[in-house]
Amino acid sequence: MGLAITGEFFDISIYKKGIFYSRQNTLNKILYKYGIEFHICIKEGTMSVKRTAEAYLEYLSNHFPCVVVTGARQTGKTTLVKEFSKSLKNVQYVTLDYPALRNLARTDPELFLQQYKTPLIIDEIQYAPELLQYIKIRIDENRHNGMYFLTGSQMFRLMKNVSESLAGRAGLLQLYGFSHSEILGAEDKPFIPSAMLRAKAEETVTTVFDRIVRGSMPQMVVDTTLTPESFFGEYVQTYLERDIRELVEIKNERKFLQFISCVAARTGQELNVSDIAKDVGIDAKTADSWLSLLVTSGVVFLLQPYSGNTVKRIVKRPKLYMMDTGLACYLSLWNNPRSLEVSAMAGNMFETYVITEIIKTYTNSGMDVRSRLSYYRDNNGKEIDLIIEENNVLYPIEIKKSANPGSDALKNFTVLSSLDKKIGKGAVICLSPFLIPIDANTMLVPVSAI
């Protein structure tokens, strides 16, 4: 099958199963109808994916004088803000990537801000935290919503400075890579197990693991001829050089790269910092510090264990997930989807993919997942992969790399009956092509329904 794309609205020619299609349409409608199993050849222009988070960005701009968009490198922060700014009048854009502008912003922030009228987009704001205090002054002098849009990738330093200087004045949006729903142009809303769920595309183990190895970084989605080896090799080097070195002094870059690789190889597992430190040859304190950098820069997410007053025997260690499966595969040396899908690592990678997709459905809508998502494991070995809590209701979720997991997959859901919370519908997210009831309270859910 082939696909040719030209211009802002794309001239699409598709050959599939002996039938030739040619028509004018937007790319996302074609993707939604046929899935993404075909090869995309971009001849002119660029593929455009509508970001779900743009609606929340608009909401924040209508309620705060400053909006901060943060996230890991290459997740599309600048593109998101620029696309949104097309709806604004007389918006100006400046990036602190330029050394001269960065130096001015640092040495004379007041003069820097005098050069630009609002609304103003300042890209890579983490390079000049000195600006934030002066942005606060300008907001307090003439406060109105949607004055400043700031983007940055060093979340720890950036949010520390924002909380100190712009408390009560800034709304925060955290951005990750594309969700599958965004790629398909389908509805992307916070995931809750429900009979209203529907598969958004035909999925097989092949299509899912192809996507797992490539990941969700916008450039990897848009440019299908770009190899993970090329993209992530440069990504890791840039991450080391531009972010980590500015946050902490790392004397041995080889050790740090080895550390990231060890973390990636443990995605989908309980976090054991001591084991990682031992494998890398560093002390546990250093490993803990380095892990904090990965978490605060949006590379790693730690899913906390469920805690409640009635739970006494629960495991207290979080589970570790890489937020981009492509990066996880690159660092753990998996570059062949067919080999990965039959490996011992397949289950953890599939679980990582599902968990990160669910996380993105919440963060794209501006919802904090830290208080909503958890997992359950007790000292008896009973485990539930994910628990979503919403409105004092617990929704248990199991994740299986199978098309027909069977009722055994939900055997541990009964442990929640001892808790003082209402239990909602449960789900087994898997490779089933259809939404299939297992019993009155639980269903098989296709992975594409997230």
Side-chain angles (χ1 to χ4, degrees):
M1 180 187 301
L3 174 65
I5 310 169
T6 57
E8 182 178 356
F9 283 83
F10 305 103
D11 179 14
I12 299 173
S13 300
I14 301 176
Y15 182 83
K16 181 179 182 184
K17 295 181 180 177
I19 303 174
F20 183 80
Y21 303 83
S22 181
R23 57 178 168 154
Q24 289 284 333
N25 208 329
T26 55
L27 179 60
N28 61 348
K29 289 181 180 178
I30 292 295
L31 288 171
Y32 181 78
K33 185 172 182 180
Y34 294 106
I36 56 170
E37 297 180 36
F38 45 73
H39 174 72
I40 300 176
C41 175
I42 302 179
K43 291 185 175 180
E44 297 177 13
T46 57
M47 172 182 170
S48 178
V49 177
K50 177 76 171 178
R51 298 305 302 254
T52 304
E54 189 172 326
Y56 187 59
L57 177 58
E58 180 180 11
Y59 169 84
L60 292 176
S61 72
N62 290 331
H63 291 83
F64 292 93
C66 180
V67 179
V68 181
V69 181
T70 186
R73 287 204 168 273
Q74 299 290 315
T75 53
K77 300 180 295 295
T78 302
T79 301
L80 170 67
V81 176
K82 281 187 171 182
E83 284 297 311
F84 169 72
S85 70
K86 292 177 181 178
S87 64
L88 306 177
K89 292 183 179 180
N90 303 318
V91 65
Q92 292 187 285
Y93 170 82
V94 60
T95 176
L96 299 183
D97 268 332
Y98 289 108
L101 290 174
R102 185 189 313 174
N103 184 61
L104 177 61
R106 284 174 169 174
T107 58
D108 198 339
E110 185 171 8
L111 177 61
F112 177 91
L113 290 176
Q114 288 175 4
Q115 310 305 307
Y116 305 99
K117 295 181 179 180
T118 59
L120 174 63
I121 300 169
I122 304 178
D123 203 6
E124 304 290 3
I125 186 66
Q126 74 275 3
Y127 292 139
E130 296 84 356
L131 281 173
L132 296 175
Q133 188 63 37
Y134 288 84
I135 289 174
K136 171 184 177 295
I137 293 171
R138 285 179 167 260
I139 289 173
D140 291 346
E141 287 176 346
N142 183 25
R143 180 169 180 147
H144 55 276
N145 295 327
M147 296 173 66
Y148 294 96
F149 298 85
L150 314 179
T151 76
S153 54
Q154 293 177 0
M155 283 189 283
F156 177 76
R157 175 177 293 175
L158 177 58
M159 292 318 302
K160 180 177 182 292
N161 291 322
V162 167
S163 62
E164 290 175 352
S165 302
L166 296 176
R169 301 167 180 84
L172 173 65
L173 190 159
Q174 184 167 350
L175 193 66
Y176 295 107
F178 288 147
S179 70
H180 192 215
S181 293
E182 287 177 314
I183 296 170
L184 295 176
E187 185 178 20
D188 192 12
K189 60 182 181 180
F191 178 83
I192 290 286
S194 163
M196 299 301 292
L197 293 171
R198 292 291 182 271
K200 300 170 186 175
E202 294 181 13
E203 291 283 21
T204 65
V205 67
T206 299
T207 60
V208 170
F209 274 84
D210 283 346
R211 194 156 58 251
I212 284 173
V213 170
R214 291 193 65 80
S216 62
M217 293 292 187
Q219 191 174 351
M220 286 299 296
V221 173
V222 171
D223 186 355
T224 58
T225 63
L226 179 63
T227 66
E229 195 74 22
S230 299
F231 176 80
F232 289 113
E234 177 64 24
Y235 184 90
V236 170
Q237 192 58 42
T238 301
Y239 178 68
L240 286 172
E241 290 182 351
R242 299 189 62 178
D243 288 345
I244 298 302
R245 283 181 180 175
E246 293 201 11
L247 290 172
V248 65
E249 182 183 358
I250 294 179
K251 299 177 181 178
N252 191 330
E253 284 190 9
R254 184 185 61 82
K255 286 283 188 185
F256 185 74
L257 181 58
Q258 187 180 354
F259 172 80
I260 302 177
S261 299
C262 282
V263 168
R266 287 166 169 80
T267 188
Q269 300 179 23
E270 277 187 35
L271 173 63
N272 190 322
V273 176
S274 297
D275 280 357
I276 297 175
K278 183 179 179 181
D279 286 352
V280 179
I282 57 177
D283 60 75
K285 184 178 180 180
T286 299
D288 197 51
S289 173
W290 287 359
L291 181 66
S292 294
L293 292 177
L294 298 182
V295 172
T296 55
S297 57
V299 174
V300 165
F301 179 84
L302 296 181
L303 182 67
Q304 299 298 325
Y306 180 80
S307 60
N309 294 333
T310 60
V311 180
K312 304 297 183 184
R313 297 171 58 82
I314 200 165
V315 171
K316 296 183 179 180
R317 290 189 299 204
K319 289 182 76 172
L320 180 155
Y321 294 98
M322 296 287 289
M323 278 306 299
D324 188 86
T325 56
L327 179 59
C329 289
Y330 169 79
L331 289 169
S332 52
L333 304 180
W334 290 103
N335 59 14
N336 186 319
R338 304 293 76 79
S339 298
L340 176 60
E341 71 186 48
V342 296
S343 71
M345 190 73 177
N348 285 340
M349 281 296 185
F350 182 72
E351 181 178 325
T352 298
Y353 171 76
V354 171
I355 293 290
T356 55
E357 284 292 304
I358 291 174
I359 288 171
K360 284 182 276 192
T361 69
Y362 282 87
T363 57
N364 284 344
S365 299
M367 301 174 75
D368 189 350
V369 296
R370 292 173 298 180
S371 59
R372 289 179 166 88
L373 305 187
S374 61
Y375 83 100
Y376 179 96
R377 180 179 288 165
D378 60 28
N379 293 339
N380 296 321
K382 293 183 177 180
E383 180 180 359
I384 300 173
D385 290 331
L386 180 66
I387 298 173
I388 300 176
E389 182 169 0
E390 194 71 33
N391 297 314
N392 210 38
V393 178
L394 302 181
Y395 300 88
I397 295 172
E398 195 68 17
I399 301 166
K400 297 294 183 183
K401 187 189 75 78
S402 169
N404 186 22
S407 59
D408 191 56
L410 48 91
K411 63 182 180 182
N412 292 330
F413 287 3
T414 56
V415 301
L416 299 182
S417 60
S418 62
L419 305 181
D420 56 350
K421 296 283 181 73
K422 181 180 177 181
I423 309 303
K425 284 194 175 293
V428 180
I429 299 177
C430 60
L431 293 168
S432 169
F434 308 109
L435 192 76
I436 303 174
I438 301 176
D439 58 29
N441 298 310
T442 316
M443 65 197 93
L444 294 184
V445 175
V447 65
S448 67
I450 299 173

